[in-house]
Amino acid sequence: MAQREGAPVAGGGTSEDGSFSYGFASFRGKRAAMEDFHHASTTQIGGKQCGFFGVFDGHGGARAAEYVQNNIFQNLSAHPKFESDTAVAIAESYNQTDQDYLKSENAQNKDAGSTASTAVIVGNKLLIANVGDSRAVISRGGQAIALSVDHKPNRSDERQRIENAGGVVMWAGTWRVGGVLAVSRAFGDRLLKRYVIPEPEIQEETIKTGDDFLILASDGLWDVISNQDAVQLVQSVTDAQEAAKKLTDEAYNRGSADNITCVVVRFLH
Ligand SMILES: *[C@@H]1O[C@H](CO)[C@@H](O)[C@H](O)[C@H]1NC(C)=O
Ligand SMILES: *[C@@H]1O[C@H](CO)[C@@H](O)[C@H](O)[C@H]1NC(C)=O
Ligand SMILES: *[C@@H]1O[C@H](CO)[C@@H](O)[C@H](O)[C@H]1NC(C)=O
Ligand SMILES: CC(=O)N[C@H]1CO[C@H](CO)[C@@H](O)[C@@H]1O
């Protein structure tokens, strides 16, 4: 069914054991094509409550983002080290999914790529993995704490890594890899693959009392709403779906012209 421009998509649910609830919302934005995708699901593995959440912001077409959305968590949850070493399983699933995507697209969609900001809950563990400039932010007692650092080409360690691989970071409206791409890590992007890697930075946390909620969102949201503003906007919104919708609506009202997608996970303790 074709969607009316500006029509938001929203939904949500609660984990089987009642330890967290989640909601998502997506706004088509002011331009024609939607290149943001998200995932939210829960299941139990080895007797532990698990949650899988992700925001995937595509560029150069929707193909890469859609592929990552459809495959990454399936590959991760079936990974032999999912329970014993979740961080390694996540890193390998990111790598595997990128290779599978490039293989499946062969010579097509050379410029298509995607970010991935993912959150995996396994029992009381929370693992945030990031590639690109979508971002994960947690609210702890009302304080916003970023759990990922955007992969921008002018981040000094990223610029160094790219230059060591023989690439260049150039100014073209913003800082870009090879003067083309405004993120320094991504899925896809076949022509820049030597520099634009799918290796995630992973942060592992233990979910504690005082952890209120987590926000994953694309840059369409973070470009116009600060981390702390986002936390304050939904602090008192207990319904995670309402919270996600409020954030995307606010980003739109503040004039974001990009795709806007966000996922909110509320810890219920
Ligand atoms: C994960 O990727 C590997 C390599 O392509 C593949 O063999 C495996 O079937 C995938 N697993 C899942 C569950 O998709
Ligand atoms: C990614 O996977 C390929 C093949 O499966 C492997 O050769 C390569 O070393 C992996 N890279 C990383 C960073 O794990
Ligand atoms: C990267 O460049 C942007 C401008 O495009 C600037 O706002 C930002 O502070 C720079 N970041 C670093 C780490 O230099
Ligand atoms: C509807 C919308 O905003 N589409 C945009 C999504 O983001 C990509 C990449 O920034 C743009 O190319 C689309 O036009």
Side-chain angles (χ1 to χ4, degrees):
M1 191 181 78
Q3 250 164 349
R4 170 173 69 85
E5 169 133 14
V9 177
T14 304
S15 65
E16 289 79 356
D17 72 349
S19 63
F20 58 86
S21 63
Y22 63 91
F24 51 84
S26 196
F27 214 93
R28 286 179 62 90
K30 287 173 179 166
R31 288 187 256 163
M34 183 60 176
E35 299 182 351
D36 270 9
F37 293 81
H38 68 272
H39 176 97
S41 68
T42 70
T43 187
Q44 294 190 330
I45 297 177
K48 283 184 177 160
Q49 180 63 53
C50 298
F52 297 97
F53 305 99
V55 166
F56 312 101
D57 180 1
H59 50 260
R63 287 288 302 144
E66 193 173 15
Y67 186 94
V68 178
Q69 174 207 39
N70 285 332
N71 291 283
I72 197 161
F73 290 123
Q74 203 185 333
N75 207 284
L76 173 62
S77 56
H79 194 286
K81 289 190 184 145
F82 177 73
E83 288 177 72
S84 62
D85 195 342
T86 312
V88 164
I90 290 171
E92 290 183 0
S93 298
Y94 268 62
N95 185 27
Q96 190 64 55
T97 301
D98 188 52
Q99 301 216 344
D100 292 348
Y101 167 72
L102 292 171
K103 220 174 286 167
S104 76
E105 282 299 300
N106 218 347
Q108 291 161 6
N109 298 303
K110 288 194 188 72
D111 301 326
S114 181
T115 71
S117 171
T118 63
V120 173
I121 294 173
V122 185
N124 67 347
K125 295 285 180 211
L126 169 66
L127 291 99
I128 301 296
N130 181 59
V131 158
D133 64 356
S134 302
R135 191 184 308 148
V137 172
I138 195 168
S139 167
R140 291 209 168 112
Q143 281 297 113
I145 296 163
L147 295 181
S148 63
V149 183
D150 302 352
H151 290 134
K152 293 290 196 187
N154 61 328
R155 217 179 94 174
S156 58
D157 54 346
E158 287 293 275
R159 179 194 276 263
Q160 195 61 57
R161 181 184 59 70
I162 290 161
E163 288 175 356
N164 289 347
V168 290
V169 172
M170 281 163 49
W171 180 264
T174 182
W175 290 103
R176 297 177 187 274
V177 181
V180 177
L181 187 63
V183 289
S184 59
R185 301 193 191 191
F187 289 82
D189 288 291
R190 179 186 301 277
L191 302 176
L192 296 168
K193 198 75 260 177
R194 282 176 61 195
Y195 324 118
V196 178
I197 59 176
E199 188 183 325
E201 287 186 285
I202 298 177
Q203 189 147 335
E204 190 164 352
E205 304 279 325
T206 301
I207 301 165
K208 295 180 283 291
T209 323
D211 288 350
D212 313 313
F213 55 89
L214 176 76
I215 304 167
L216 304 178
S218 58
D219 66 341
L221 188 136
W222 300 121
D223 281 351
V224 294
I225 303 182
S226 70
N227 298 353
Q228 190 60 45
D229 273 8
V231 160
Q232 264 152 18
L233 276 164
V234 296
Q235 190 70 46
S236 61
V237 183
T238 51
D239 183 285
Q241 179 178 330
E242 279 308 308
K245 205 172 161 301
K246 184 167 180 184
L247 287 171
T248 52
D249 285 351
E250 180 67 19
Y252 185 78
N253 291 334
R254 288 190 189 187
S256 178
D258 200 351
N259 308 159
I260 308 163
T261 292
C262 91
V263 174
V264 173
V265 180
R266 238 187 200 282
F267 304 107
L268 301 175
H269 306 292

